[in-house]
Amino acid sequence: MMGLAADWSLELEAERSRRFRKLLLYSALAHIFVISSMMLSPRPIVRPALPAVVEVQLHAALPSSAAPPPEPIPEQPKPEPPPPPVAKPKPPVPEKVVLPEEPKPLPKPKPKPKPKAKPKPVAKKPDPKPPPETEESYDDFLASLRAERAAKAPPGPPTAVARGPRGPTGPGIVLPPEVVGWMRQAKVHVTRAWVLAPNFRTLPLETEIAVRVDRSGAVRATRITRRSGNPWFDESVERAIRKASPLPPPPEAEEWSFIFRPEDLL
Amino acid sequence: MMAVLGRPGARGLRASYVPWLLAIALVASAANAQRRPPIIIENPGARAYRVAIQEFRPSRPGSESAAAAVEQAMERGLAFAALFDEVDRRAFLGPTRTPPLDRGDPVVCPNWSQIGADALIQAEIEEAGEGVRAEFKLTDVSRCVAILHKRYRITKAELNRMGHAMADDVVAAFTGQPGVSDTEVAFISTRTGAKEVHVMNADGSGVRAATKNRSLNLFPGWSPDGDAIVYTSYRYRVRPQLFLLTRGERSPGRILRNLDSSRPLYRGVFSPTGDRLAVVMSVDGAAEIFTVGRQGQALKRLTRSGAIEMSPSWSPDSRRMALVSDRTGSPQVYVMNADGSGLRRLTFNGSYNTNPSWSPDGRWIAYESRVGGQFDIWLIDPEGRTNTPLVTHSRSDEHPSWAPDGRKIAFASTRRGRSDIYVIDINGKNLRRVTNEGENTNPAWGPYRR
């Protein structure tokens, strides 16, 4: 019996050892994945949920002075946010069409809870760069950004926030400033090129289009990824993108998404 | 981390998992790109499409004047749509005149997009006997596709109509709904002395008198096929009656022959199906609303309040009707079902609201509301949730009437002293006066012409 017990015990030890190695392997894989993602992506790995973003603006991401002790812009991974909201559905009835009465509040940048550090080796990795001073003014903040870029410093911490002022939920998504700047310029270009007949402005139409832009800013291809149901409206969207070409040279030659939805009601 | 990878137990597995890890990392990177927020475009920044118009080509000698006339009419039609700006021909990089279209020369789109054009218009006109033929082509140079290629045939006397029809088709190619430059507006004018029914093209051209009875004529209203106009006339002086104008006929005729003619009939409005009319008839000293067949059969009373009920306006699906009633002491707009049931008050702003006009798409009711001492044009949705002014002025704006495309409204206004007919887009832009002689009131915008 002892022998059997001992054998069984030995088997158990071997099993434990195998499990331990397996766990070790899983842990290693997880770490490799995290590090590889960080190395291959210029942006942080863990991002807040993607809100139904409609505009892009520079944002200092500073808590108000009345807020409790200022938290730096979190660089560490945050707890997994709730799933990203689906695109805001359009009310189907005309009353949405006409001068929506409910204001669309800007999501307030609430002081974020202190993120929990994951009990994983990756958390031990030193932050790539300290966050910007939380008490500086917005202008100082921008000035420091410019100085930083002028000095050709390596990519620092995310300093711009693309924020969805109309998004119902969720904080902004952190983007590099050059991306945010380009998105704003592209928005101006495309807005200027878009013509819309007055009758479309009273309809709840929305079209999403993917636009492949090369390094020079030329529009290489367009693909409507979500149709409005009105082919003439969709064509006006395509026409606007084509007419806006060339856009300013983008930071990355890749596909960008545009959503067109008339808000100029009556 | 590297120490973990260097452990003897994991060494053997590292080589086989590295490709997977790299793939996962790439996917993560691509996902990052996709998670970038979209760029939202909400308010169009350009006011109008820019169109380059190549000179219309006379395809045979003797067609020059017709080509010029059609081209000018088309340009007027485009101007009326207020959706297009014409590119100056001096800026053209390509030819200024339309090449022979049957050659099938491709349009060099960059030549046109570089000068800021959204579209290129080309046409070839051929005069043959009493007729005129045209080949018309519209190219979207941004996308470099022909979005309209059409042939027209018309009589010489209707060159304007051909140009207007081309312009309306251009509007349709860009918006999905034809323009209205080839439609007509009926109205009451004193330009011939009495208040007579007149008809003009929507842009104010081609005014012609439709009645000459030297009496008092009011409230013209179109049949849905555009071939008839019902109107109220006091020609028999004793009481107002309804009469019918038919396109091409000179003398007006009675309508509702089988209806008791002893009762005053103040107004008639064709239903969208054309088989019935809503009429305002006097009953025991009060004006009430009825529906009746075109020959006066199947009379049905819809209102019984004993107050004054007037100005019926059908919903486009013929199921409902807007009307005015003073049953609460002041004239207000109401909505009811076409059988008279379900009456409910729609307007509560101001003490005097009248002349409702239901939009062709059914989404709005235009009406006039007294603000201070004068009337303004307002829009309200049939459920009464949204109520907004469209036209305001220190002088009165009255009698709104929708264009068949639902994008424009005609109304009468005394803003320059005497009453004239004006046209405005429903976004409050592109106000345009279309009459300039006599006192002009009661505009009624006709349907699309066949």
Side-chain angles (χ1 to χ4, degrees):
Chain A
M1 288 291 292
M2 286 299 292
L4 283 175
D7 289 341
W8 188 85
S9 176
L10 284 173
E11 284 293 321
L12 190 61
E13 283 295 326
E15 180 63 26
R16 280 177 181 166
S17 175
R18 276 199 298 275
R19 283 186 184 176
F20 177 73
R21 282 204 300 274
K22 195 179 282 184
L23 286 173
L24 213 56
L25 175 64
Y26 288 155
S27 172
L29 290 175
H31 286 88
I32 289 167
F33 168 73
V34 170
I35 288 177
S36 302
S37 298
M38 289 182 70
M39 290 172 69
L40 292 172
S41 168
R43 291 172 290 281
I45 299 157
V46 179
R47 296 169 190 277
L50 179 64
V53 181
V54 298
E55 282 187 9
V56 173
Q57 58 187 19
L58 284 175
H59 181 76
L62 303 179
S64 70
S65 57
E71 291 287 339
I73 293 176
E75 289 299 317
Q76 295 166 329
K78 291 197 292 189
E80 192 59 28
V86 184
K88 188 177 71 176
K90 282 270 185 182
V93 286
E95 56 270 30
K96 165 68 183 89
V97 170
V98 194
L99 306 175
E101 285 151 16
E102 67 276 7
K104 299 170 179 172
L106 296 172
K108 285 186 181 176
K110 291 179 183 175
K112 296 167 185 172
K114 193 172 182 178
K116 295 174 188 172
K118 282 187 180 176
K120 285 188 176 181
V122 68
K124 296 175 186 171
K125 189 170 183 260
D127 290 336
K129 203 162 187 180
E133 182 56 50
T134 53
E135 292 299 326
E136 67 185 345
S137 71
Y138 182 70
D139 289 339
D140 294 340
F141 177 63
L142 289 179
S144 67
L145 269 182
R146 292 190 196 101
E148 186 180 336
R149 275 194 291 180
K152 294 186 178 177
T159 50
V161 174
R163 190 160 286 278
R166 304 167 67 80
T169 58
I173 182 168
V174 182
L175 292 174
E178 62 271 18
V179 171
V180 174
W182 184 83
M183 290 171 77
R184 297 175 77 176
Q185 290 177 7
K187 175 171 180 158
V188 170
H189 262 68
V190 175
T191 297
R192 207 179 283 154
W194 191 28
V195 184
L196 196 61
N199 57 317
F200 287 145
R201 302 184 188 201
T202 62
L203 299 175
L205 300 170
E206 184 168 308
T207 297
E208 185 163 8
I209 185 169
V211 181
R212 182 156 288 282
V213 184
D214 68 15
R215 292 295 299 206
S216 71
V219 171
R220 288 298 173 200
T222 60
R223 178 172 52 93
I224 292 184
T225 51
R226 183 153 42 90
R227 297 189 177 275
S228 66
N230 183 316
W232 292 275
F233 182 80
D234 294 345
E235 281 181 9
S236 83
V237 165
E238 252 187 295
R239 199 174 285 128
I241 294 289
R242 291 289 182 182
K243 193 178 181 188
S245 178
L247 297 165
E252 299 164 48
E254 57 180 280
E255 203 169 70
W256 301 79
S257 177
F258 290 76
I259 291 179
F260 287 70
R261 55 174 173 232
E263 289 287 325
D264 183 9
L265 307 167
L266 274 187
Chain B
M1 188 66 70
M2 291 309 292
V4 174
L5 284 173
R7 284 174 71 97
R11 188 180 299 153
L13 294 168
R14 182 176 54 181
S16 61
Y17 276 87
V18 163
W20 286 102
L21 293 174
L22 287 176
I24 290 169
L26 284 173
V27 168
S29 175
N32 277 342
Q34 288 197 351
R35 290 177 66 186
R36 186 188 300 124
I39 300 167
I40 306 299
I41 313 292
E42 287 175 319
N43 291 307
R47 189 188 64 82
Y49 287 112
R50 287 171 55 79
V51 290
I53 304 173
Q54 282 183 325
E55 187 184 331
F56 285 13
R57 177 184 196 83
S59 58
R60 66 163 63 173
S63 303
E64 291 83 0
S65 61
V70 173
E71 182 180 330
Q72 287 165 11
M74 188 212 61
E75 287 172 340
R76 286 197 301 272
L78 289 182
F80 187 66
L83 193 60
F84 303 93
D85 285 337
E86 192 174 339
V87 179
D88 192 331
R89 279 194 185 133
R90 288 171 296 185
F92 283 14
L93 300 177
T96 56
R97 174 178 275 203
T98 302
L101 293 177
D102 56 2
R103 279 201 327 228
D105 293 348
V107 173
V108 184
C109 293
N111 278 353
W112 303 102
S113 55
Q114 278 178 37
I115 60 172
D118 294 294
L120 171 67
I121 289 175
Q122 302 169 300
E124 216 173 338
I125 309 292
E126 179 183 0
E127 202 173 322
E130 288 304 306
V132 176
R133 288 197 293 259
E135 184 174 354
F136 185 79
K137 190 177 176 188
L138 172 67
T139 303
D140 176 348
V141 298
S142 303
R143 299 182 300 140
C144 209
V145 290
I147 52 178
L148 177 65
H149 196 169
K150 189 172 178 179
R151 287 183 170 79
Y152 300 82
R153 182 189 293 260
I154 210 162
T155 63
K156 266 187 195 173
E158 295 180 302
L159 291 179
N160 274 344
R161 281 204 67 191
M162 179 183 273
H164 286 164
M166 289 173 174
D168 291 350
D169 285 340
V170 171
V171 175
F174 277 91
T175 68
Q177 198 166 28
V180 291
S181 67
D182 189 31
T183 58
E184 298 165 304
V185 175
F187 62 106
I188 303 298
S189 179
T190 61
R191 63 187 65 198
T192 55
K195 286 196 165 188
E196 304 280 5
V197 178
H198 287 64
V199 177
M200 63 181 168
N201 299 328
D203 64 358
S205 63
V207 178
R208 58 266 190 202
T211 62
K212 289 179 182 171
N213 56 40
R214 297 180 195 172
S215 170
L216 175 61
N217 304 287
L218 293 169
F219 306 126
W222 292 83
S223 64
D225 59 8
D227 280 343
I229 295 173
V230 62
Y231 66 100
T232 308
S233 179
Y234 285 76
R235 64 173 54 214
Y236 298 141
R237 296 197 178 179
V238 184
R239 65 186 71 87
Q241 290 295 329
L242 299 183
F243 293 86
L244 195 68
L245 282 167
T246 305
R247 198 180 287 278
E249 287 186 13
R250 287 187 177 179
S251 56
R254 283 284 303 278
I255 191 172
L256 312 175
R257 293 182 188 282
N258 300 330
L259 196 63
D260 175 11
S261 61
S262 64
R263 289 175 176 170
L265 281 165
Y266 296 109
R267 188 169 183 176
V269 182
F270 276 108
S271 72
T273 53
D275 57 340
R276 294 184 70 76
L277 290 96
V279 296
V280 181
M281 192 159 59
S282 181
V283 179
D284 302 330
E288 302 290 350
I289 293 179
F290 296 74
T291 56
V292 64
R294 199 162 172 156
Q295 298 304 321
Q297 76 281 18
L299 184 72
K300 178 178 174 59
R301 184 170 176 173
L302 303 186
T303 59
R304 298 176 181 276
S305 71
I308 294 175
E309 329 268 30
M310 55 184 186
S311 299
S313 176
W314 295 86
S315 66
D317 61 4
S318 298
R319 292 181 176 176
R320 290 189 287 174
M321 203 180 286
L323 67 147
V324 173
S325 173
D326 71 347
R327 61 181 63 197
T328 58
S330 68
Q332 296 292 341
V333 178
Y334 290 71
V335 172
M336 65 181 177
N337 297 323
D339 61 1
S341 64
L343 185 84
R344 62 184 166 82
R345 183 173 167 178
L346 193 60
T347 58
F348 292 89
N349 58 310
S351 60
Y352 201 122
N353 298 299
T354 186
N355 281 325
S357 175
W358 213 306
S359 69
D361 63 6
R363 298 171 62 228
W364 297 103
I365 294 170
Y367 68 101
E368 58 183 77
S369 179
R370 190 168 67 189
V371 179
Q374 87 292 337
F375 288 93
D376 291 330
I377 307 293
W378 285 59
L379 297 180
I380 189 167
D381 74 282
E383 307 309 319
R385 295 193 187 102
T386 304
N387 190 21
T388 183
L390 173 66
V391 190
T392 59
H393 194 271
S394 55
R395 293 190 173 175
S396 274
D397 302 315
E398 302 174 6
H399 289 109
S401 175
W402 290 86
D405 64 352
R407 292 180 196 145
K408 292 180 184 291
I409 283 179
F411 62 96
S413 175
T414 56
R415 57 184 60 201
R416 67 170 193 148
R418 65 186 185 204
S419 184
D420 274 305
I421 309 298
Y422 291 76
V423 170
I424 195 169
D425 287 356
I426 60 161
N427 60 2
K429 295 176 180 169
N430 301 316
L431 179 70
R432 176 176 179 151
R433 180 167 54 82
V434 292
T435 57
N436 58 10
E437 191 182 339
E439 296 276 344
N440 306 285
T441 58
N442 288 188
W445 208 315
Y448 283 118
R449 295 173 77 174
R450 292 174 298 171

